[in-house]
Amino acid sequence: MTAKTKEAKCNCQGNVDEEVDGLRKVVLVGSPNVGKSVVFGNLTGKYVTVSNYPGTTVEVTRGRAMIGHAEFGVIDTPGMYSFLPITEEERVARRVLMGENPDVIVHVADAKNIERMLHLTLQLLEAGLPVILDLNLMDEAGGVGMKIDLDVLQKALEIPVVATIATEKKGMDLLKKAVSGCEKQVARVPLRYDGLIESAIQRIEEGLEGNYGISKRAVALLLLQDDPDIKDMIKELEKDGYTAIYAIAEEAGKGFGQPLNYVITLARQEFINRLVERAATIEHSGRTDLKEKLSQLMMHPLTGLPFLFLSIYALYEFVGVFGAQVSVDFLERKVFGEYINPFVTGVVTSIIPWKVIQDLFVNEYGIITLGVRYAVAIILPVVTTFFIAFSIIEDTGYLPRLAMLLDRVFKKIGLNGRAVIPVVLGFGCDT
Ligand SMILES: Nc1nc2c(ncn2[C@@H]2O[C@H](COP(=O)(O)OP(=O)(O)OP(=O)(O)O)[C@@H](O)[C@H]2O)c(=O)[nH]1
Ligand SMILES: [Mg+2]
């Protein structure tokens, strides 16, 4: 064991990367906010930031884990919705998949939104990566009355599928078993596209000679979908051959009335719909309907805005009035003004005869009468109430719904709904 490893092993808190070179690599990928970092923590015993808000993990974290009888290097990645990246986080995650030569990919997915999740599973399979599908958040899926037949998924996709509740460590043993039994496989072709697209894929594959870290089929599909990073890679790796390859993609694009990205996504969606119809059922129950209704109300512009104002008002009453006024007033005037400050001043002036030293501790600008008073009586109540309010908002899942509500407005100024957090924090910063 190297010195670096030893040092990292002692540090089980905080985002400290561990050395994983030379180990078999497990990469955790999946949409934002599905529990990848919780799974990472369960496997490695290392804490990484977890929150009920998409986009929490923005960089790659590595840790070591004993899985079965072998030690693995586990890599936590930022959320990716698709193998065709839009955000920087998605680019980072894809770079790991293409550049790290992983031995096992665990696709962590939100079980209750399985139709949306399976797009990435298909893309990972098309990329020829050894995938395990981890249907996480099974408690929430159960909560909306959803039942999933893992066998149907397993047989159709020909990969191991496990169900987990990462926060309760449920299903982790099965996941570990699947990881340790996972073999690198040859590229899988889970579905076939339109004949024109398939022939373009084949011709592009034949023209590719470089090593892309993923299957040539996936490279061809990404090129057909006009992925700029893949175009750059092809240009770099194929030297003069790239013009002919680009031409195939361009010609194929002209054969359809719609962009190829749309045609390909639609074909995947149809495949997924057929599969989910066989694999998942939903039984509605009254309790969950209420939860779902509340969630819809929060995201609908008509009802969402009053909800937002109500929340801001409640936040103001709790942090602005109770925290910053009532509590500050009580602590500053009563506790410090009437008790602590007079007592400390009395003690200090009676034991220290020099005015200069007395002023250092007490009186108008003293460390205790001013410094400690400000920290405890003014800062502490505001920060405490703010963090209590914020964790309630976060844990109830209101933040992602607020992001959805504001997404359309924010898009007009070139941001997306997730920018709600820095904007809210920015308005709060007036002191
Ligand atoms: N109910 C429930 N909550 C879960 C489960 N797994 C994770 N969570 C919660 O889901 C939220 C997101 O978890 P993270 O581990 O931060 O998700 P992530 O996939 O790493 O998210 P990003 O880093 O933003 O991509 C947290 O509030 C977790 O506590 C689960 O199985 N059940
Ligand atoms: Mg994370």
Side-chain angles (χ1 to χ4, degrees):
M1 191 186 287
T2 63
K4 188 170 177 189
T5 316
K6 268 185 196 155
E7 184 190 313
K9 281 226 148 168
C10 299
N11 194 341
C12 294
Q13 294 286 316
N15 287 356
V16 182
D17 262 346
E18 284 181 314
E19 188 62 65
V20 298
D21 285 352
L23 296 176
R24 291 183 72 197
K25 281 186 208 155
V26 184
V27 179
L28 305 175
V29 293
S31 299
N33 216 32
V34 293
K36 296 179 295 298
S37 297
V38 179
V39 171
F40 178 84
N42 288 347
L43 293 176
T44 61
K46 245 181 82 173
Y47 177 78
V48 281
T49 314
V50 167
S51 90
N52 192 359
Y53 192 71
T56 303
T57 304
V58 289
E59 27 184 72
V60 176
T61 311
R62 289 150 216 272
R64 288 171 166 242
M66 276 306 287
I67 300 175
H69 297 296
E71 193 172 26
F72 280 80
V74 186
I75 304 178
D76 184 24
T77 61
M80 69 188 308
Y81 289 107
S82 156
F83 210 66
L84 187 70
I86 295 172
T87 64
E88 192 48 39
E89 287 94 329
E90 290 181 303
R91 266 185 209 106
V92 170
R94 191 173 76 173
R95 240 174 266 143
V96 174
L97 291 172
M98 294 176 74
E100 298 255 0
N101 193 19
D103 295 274
V104 185
I105 314 292
V106 176
H107 176 199
V108 185
D110 174 358
K112 68 181 178 303
N113 288 312
I114 188 168
E115 300 105 287
R116 273 194 278 139
M117 303 286 127
L118 286 176
H119 277 269
L120 184 60
T121 322
L122 290 183
Q123 291 169 49
L124 293 167
L125 289 175
E126 277 166 347
L129 297 164
V131 186
I132 293 169
L133 177 60
D134 171 7
L135 292 174
N136 191 38
L137 294 135
M138 279 306 277
D139 51 336
E140 293 193 356
V144 292
M146 192 164 192
K147 289 206 169 64
I148 299 175
D149 189 335
L150 304 185
D151 259 2
V152 171
L153 289 174
Q154 231 151 221
K155 286 199 181 109
L157 299 169
E158 295 176 55
I159 52 169
V161 181
V162 290
T164 58
I165 305 174
T167 37
E168 295 171 21
K169 295 196 166 63
K170 284 198 180 144
M172 282 299 136
D173 287 349
L174 289 173
L175 179 62
K176 283 184 186 169
K177 218 167 149 189
V179 169
S180 61
C182 190
E183 298 289 335
K184 275 201 167 185
Q185 327 114 333
V186 284
R188 237 332 117 82
V189 184
L191 79 154
R192 295 257 164 213
Y193 299 95
D194 179 280
L196 252 177
I197 296 178
E198 283 297 337
S199 88
I201 293 173
Q202 200 189 338
R203 283 164 61 210
I204 294 171
E205 278 185 84
E206 283 162 10
L208 295 173
E209 279 172 10
N211 178 9
Y212 293 83
I214 52 171
S215 72
K216 289 182 177 167
R217 181 176 173 85
V219 175
L221 274 161
L222 289 167
L223 176 67
L224 289 170
Q225 292 170 93
D226 214 20
D227 181 324
D229 295 341
I230 287 293
K231 278 177 143 176
D232 288 347
M233 275 182 89
I234 293 175
K235 203 168 186 176
E236 198 185 309
L237 292 177
E238 307 302 336
K239 307 276 181 300
D240 296 336
Y242 84 92
T243 31
I245 296 172
Y246 279 17
I248 303 171
E250 233 166 70
E251 187 197 312
K254 285 184 193 142
F256 294 86
Q258 319 267 17
L260 280 184
N261 185 14
Y262 177 79
V263 180
I264 289 170
T265 308
L266 207 65
R268 284 190 191 128
Q269 188 62 55
E270 279 163 11
F271 176 89
I272 291 168
N273 287 349
R274 282 196 300 274
L275 177 55
V276 172
E277 213 165 86
R278 288 196 293 132
T281 50
I282 292 194
E283 287 160 20
H284 285 286
S285 74
R287 194 178 69 83
T288 52
D289 278 351
L290 181 72
K291 254 173 99 180
E292 190 52 32
K293 264 193 195 130
L294 209 60
S295 168
Q296 295 297 338
L297 286 179
M298 285 176 185
M299 290 189 286
H300 193 277
L302 268 184
T303 46
L305 283 178
F307 214 98
L308 173 61
F309 292 128
L310 206 71
S311 311
I312 291 174
Y313 180 70
L315 195 70
Y316 170 74
E317 280 291 328
F318 184 59
V319 181
V321 177
F322 175 71
Q325 291 174 25
V326 179
S327 309
V328 167
D329 233 40
F330 173 74
L331 284 171
E332 201 187 7
R333 276 173 213 257
K334 198 100 190 147
V335 179
F336 274 84
E338 289 180 21
Y339 299 101
I340 298 179
N341 279 6
F343 173 74
V344 174
T345 308
V347 172
V348 170
T349 46
S350 68
I351 56 173
I352 300 174
W354 306 283
K355 176 96 174 54
V356 184
I357 310 283
Q358 284 175 5
D359 282 350
L360 186 66
F361 293 104
V362 293
N363 299 334
E364 204 176 347
Y365 302 111
I367 293 173
I368 301 172
T369 48
L370 182 90
V372 176
R373 174 164 63 94
Y374 268 35
V376 175
I378 297 178
I379 311 289
L380 190 66
V382 178
V383 172
T384 309
T385 47
F386 174 79
F387 277 104
I388 290 173
F390 203 79
S391 42
I392 292 172
I393 292 178
E394 199 200 318
D395 285 350
T396 50
Y398 184 52
L399 278 182
R401 287 171 179 86
L402 185 59
M404 276 295 289
L405 176 71
L406 296 180
D407 194 54
R408 232 175 301 164
V409 184
F410 276 37
K411 282 235 166 77
K412 293 207 163 67
I413 51 171
L415 297 172
N416 68 36
R418 288 190 293 168
V420 65
I421 293 288
V423 169
V424 168
L425 292 180
F427 279 124
C429 191
D430 66 348
T431 48

